[in-house]
Amino acid sequence: MTRSENLFKEALCYIPGGVNSPVRAYGSVGMTPRFIKKAEGPYVIDEDGNRYIDYIGSWGPMILGHNHPAVLDAVIKTAKDGLSFGAATELEVEMAEYICKNIPSVEMVRMVNSGTEAVMSAIRAARGYTGRNKIIKFAGCYHGHSDAMLVKAGSGVMTAGIPDSAGVPAGCTQDTLTAVYNDIDSVKAIFDEFDGQIAAVIIEAVAANMGVVLPKEGFLKELRELCTQKGAVLIFDEVITGFRLAFGGAQEYFGIQADMVTYGKIIGGGMPVGAYGGKRQIMEMVAPAGPVYQAGTLSGNPVAMAAGLTQLKLLKENPDIYSHMAALGEKLFGGIKDLLEKYERKYPVNHAASLGCVYFTEQEVDNYEKAKTSDTNAFADYFRFMLEHGIHLAPSQFEAIFLNNAHSDETVEETLHVMEEYLKSRA
Ligand code: KE4
């Protein structure tokens, strides 16, 4: 048995499903999950010494590549002064100021410890600010695992085919209404039915938890106008897209300003960090400034702030990182499209900047229902081949390929070579 197999056997005795997050269990691809020992740049190395070109990147945080020396140094240096105080620190102020000065729509921001916590808190603030209860989300979008968001969610919920989730009382989801991604009429219908009751609309401006689905031309603009007209808070969940699609995230990439934004992943540099922010009049509802309660023992942890701030500063000071990743995105996803055409596979490839995916279905995918037509067994076969040939992809059709700045023409060419070997072997 390999070390990964042994470790998984042991893990299954002590951790539900053997993992601390469901998608890591490789459930939908029918393999033993690889236990990763270390990582460097574009690579991860598993416990058996196998090296892979990595396209998970910890699900987005490792945008500079794994173990960037400057981020690592900042963590070590800060840790030497103490790991956590449960008191205010200068680093928290620096992080908050940095985000507010660089993201035009964010006038105030609160740090938390995960994307889930960021979304849960943003929704509570929006409800407190508007005095309304209903929330609109989109089928296939994933906004973390807080009760109210586990309705037609993407990511691991979609991967596991869990209709929603056990343990979530109807009372927690009765105010969560689901619209169809890219269908503005489905949003208008909900606003008409629940006129005056909608506190917020939350969306992934590029949906990256049902595979990758891009907003149709004009969709986000219409959503912005509708929320303004109805007095509903527009929340961009930028846990994935934040500081990835551009330094200013989806708001910059699409030129649309949300009322609130949630962050995670990249702003932590690999450490557990989330944040939510937006207009001052909304954020001043949050305790202790206002009546919306939210708290966290490790929120704004200095070591995590040091990692995140170092990463954000490197991204801002080196804008060519974004053009580099965009070019690699064109090379990788364009190359995959060319190969699929060469081997007469009519699978769509969706991508935006450094995010993308191949759908194992023969129709364009612009929403949840179409994403669900994918042949997940065919995906699993592709995943296994790629992994066995040194390419570490997300173990689910309903996740994204994450490029990072440590990838290169060489790693992309190697990936395309393996992809062609796969297509050739299944021709
Ligand atoms: P976390 O609580 O996992 O930090 O963030 C939740 C979240 C919120 N919003 C969006 C748009 C997200 O993509 C996520 C989490 N992303 C998944 C990847 N699809 C995390 C991977 C996992 O669950 O293990």
Side-chain angles (χ1 to χ4, degrees):
M1 281 176 83
T2 64
R3 276 190 57 73
S4 282
E5 286 165 341
N6 271 321
L7 284 166
F8 191 47
K9 189 162 167 277
E10 201 177 333
L12 285 165
C13 302
Y14 305 107
I15 309 171
V19 290
N20 282 312
S21 198
V23 71
R24 302 178 194 170
Y26 283 30
S28 69
V29 294
M31 286 181 90
T32 299
R34 295 300 184 265
F35 281 63
I36 302 304
K37 185 182 184 68
K38 59 181 181 177
E40 197 66 43
Y43 303 107
V44 291
I45 295 102
D46 71 15
E47 286 286 349
D48 296 285
N50 302 304
R51 189 183 79 163
Y52 307 91
I53 299 174
D54 180 37
Y55 288 101
I56 296 180
S58 182
W59 301 97
M62 311 324 287
I63 190 167
L64 296 176
H66 287 285
N67 235 7
H68 189 285
V71 176
L72 188 60
D73 289 349
V75 166
I76 293 165
K77 177 173 171 293
T78 307
K80 284 180 177 166
D81 288 338
L83 295 176
S84 181
F85 316 119
T89 65
E90 181 183 10
L91 273 168
E92 291 166 278
V93 181
E94 195 183 343
M95 172 66 102
E97 184 180 9
Y98 197 80
I99 291 174
C100 293
K101 287 196 168 158
N102 283 287
I103 306 293
S105 66
V106 178
E107 295 173 327
M108 295 193 98
V109 64
R110 166 64 62 85
M111 307 310 296
V112 292
N113 300 282
S114 69
T116 293
E117 211 184 336
V119 166
M120 178 175 71
S121 310
I123 283 174
R124 189 179 305 142
R127 284 171 161 161
Y129 173 69
T130 58
R132 302 174 183 176
N133 294 335
K134 303 277 183 207
I135 300 291
I136 297 174
K137 75 176 286 290
F138 292 85
C141 284
Y142 178 70
H143 302 292
H145 64 86
S146 59
D147 286 345
M149 290 295 100
L150 287 175
V151 177
K152 282 198 175 9
S155 188
V157 180
M158 197 167 169
T159 300
I162 306 170
D164 290 312
S165 170
V168 178
C172 295
T173 55
Q174 66 188 22
D175 290 318
T176 306
L177 308 166
T178 308
V180 177
Y181 202 87
N182 276 319
D183 177 353
I184 196 67
D185 290 337
S186 73
V187 187
K188 286 176 180 170
I190 295 173
F191 269 108
D192 290 345
E193 186 179 352
F194 298 95
D195 197 20
Q197 299 176 53
I198 309 292
V201 176
I202 185 165
I203 189 166
E204 294 177 63
V206 168
N209 286 290
M210 49 173 142
V212 175
V213 173
L214 277 63
K216 282 180 184 162
E217 185 66 35
F219 174 63
L220 294 174
K221 184 170 179 295
E222 286 186 282
L223 196 61
R224 173 63 281 173
E225 288 163 0
L226 190 56
C227 287
T228 304
Q229 183 198 337
K230 299 288 186 181
V233 175
L234 177 59
I235 304 172
F236 271 14
D237 179 350
E238 294 226 45
V239 169
I240 284 186
T241 57
F243 302 97
R244 173 169 286 280
L245 295 183
F247 186 70
Q251 293 184 97
E252 177 185 329
Y253 191 78
F254 293 109
I256 303 262
Q257 278 213 357
D259 301 309
M260 295 184 83
V261 62
T262 54
Y263 291 120
K265 300 180 192 279
I266 289 175
I267 67 165
M271 301 292 283
V273 178
Y276 65 105
K279 289 179 176 170
R280 183 174 297 276
Q281 66 259 43
I282 301 175
M283 292 304 292
E284 284 188 333
M285 293 296 292
V286 179
V292 175
Y293 193 71
Q294 181 267 310
T297 303
L298 292 171
S299 297
N301 171 275
V303 181
M305 294 297 99
L309 255 177
T310 304
Q311 176 143 283
L312 294 187
K313 288 176 180 174
L314 281 168
L315 288 168
K316 180 169 185 185
E317 289 153 15
N318 301 281
D320 56 341
I321 287 174
Y322 291 101
S323 46
H324 172 63
M325 288 195 296
L328 289 179
E330 289 302 326
K331 186 183 181 79
L332 177 64
F333 300 111
I336 292 172
K337 280 180 188 163
D338 294 344
L339 287 171
L340 290 169
E341 202 173 316
K342 178 177 177 183
Y343 289 91
E344 296 173 348
R345 300 285 193 94
K346 297 186 180 61
Y347 297 152
V349 178
N350 289 356
H351 95 270
S354 57
L355 275 178
C357 89
V358 187
Y359 281 104
F360 283 67
T361 182
E362 296 196 346
Q363 61 174 302
E364 289 307 313
V365 177
D366 60 7
N367 66 30
Y368 175 70
E369 290 308 323
K370 292 175 186 169
K372 284 203 301 182
T373 66
S374 302
D375 178 344
T376 52
N377 291 326
F379 173 86
D381 178 52
Y382 149 75
F383 172 85
R384 285 191 293 267
F385 186 97
M386 299 299 278
L387 188 71
E388 283 157 6
H389 291 79
I391 310 298
H392 190 238
L393 298 170
S396 163
Q397 167 69 86
F398 307 114
E399 297 289 356
I401 288 172
F402 292 88
L403 276 159
N404 68 53
N405 192 49
H407 284 123
S408 61
D409 286 340
E410 291 70 33
T411 57
V412 168
E413 283 155 15
E414 169 63 17
T415 306
L416 291 171
H417 169 71
V418 175
M419 180 84 180
E420 177 149 28
E421 290 305 302
Y422 160 72
L423 290 168
K424 223 183 272 178
S425 69
R426 286 2 183 219

